[in-house]
Amino acid sequence: MDLELALRMCEAAVKQAGREGAKIAVAVVDDGGHLVAFQRMDGAAIAGPVLAPGKAYTSVANRVPTAVLADLTKPGGELAGLPGDRFVCLGGGLPLWSDQGENGRVAGGVGVSGGTVAQDVSCAEAAALVWRTR
């Protein structure tokens, strides 16, 4: 994950948010969950700068989209109790896979916050498409 690619991914998420009428924050992290790039749209919610990087980190650490974790971490769920200080188990975080796909290694992650869950996921998918077509 390099800065130029991460910034292009942020821009793709912001453009998708504009198409959907959402105001978002977007974060791209490397394979260690460390922030590489971040953008927050004017008027985006105050929680975005915390939630977007948290979703990106959570997707890398758990190797799954955060939308999957949302259901698994509900009371009585298989991973109930997982969310702590660092994990954000709400839709909008996606792991980014190396060239080997899901059988390979996680090369980074993207997290989006500020819209509805569906908008956050859609914007994260727009950013992930830039990763996949690099």
Side-chain angles (χ1 to χ4, degrees), residues 9 12 94 96 123-134:
M9 293 170 63
L94 296 174
L96 304 169
C123 294
E125 288 172 349
L129 180 61
V130 172
W131 168 262
R132 288 191 302 271
T133 59
R134 67 191 186 284

Side-chain angles (χ1 to χ4, degrees), residues 9-95:
M9 293 170 63
C10 286
E11 286 298 321
V14 166
K15 284 181 183 175
Q16 182 64 27
R19 287 189 286 272
E20 297 195 19
K23 302 286 185 182
I24 64 158
V26 55
V28 177
V29 300
D30 64 15
D31 60 350
H34 303 286
L35 189 63
V36 177
F38 175 84
Q39 289 184 8
R40 180 178 173 268
M41 296 172 71
D42 292 340
I46 192 171
V50 173
L51 294 177
K55 290 178 184 185
Y57 173 85
T58 302
S59 70
V60 169
N62 293 282
R63 300 174 51 95
V64 296
T66 55
V68 171
L69 292 173
D71 288 333
L72 293 174
T73 57
K74 288 180 182 175
E78 189 176 324
L79 298 176
L82 174 67
D85 292 339
R86 190 93 193 255
F87 292 135
V88 179
C89 300
L90 306 167
L94 296 174

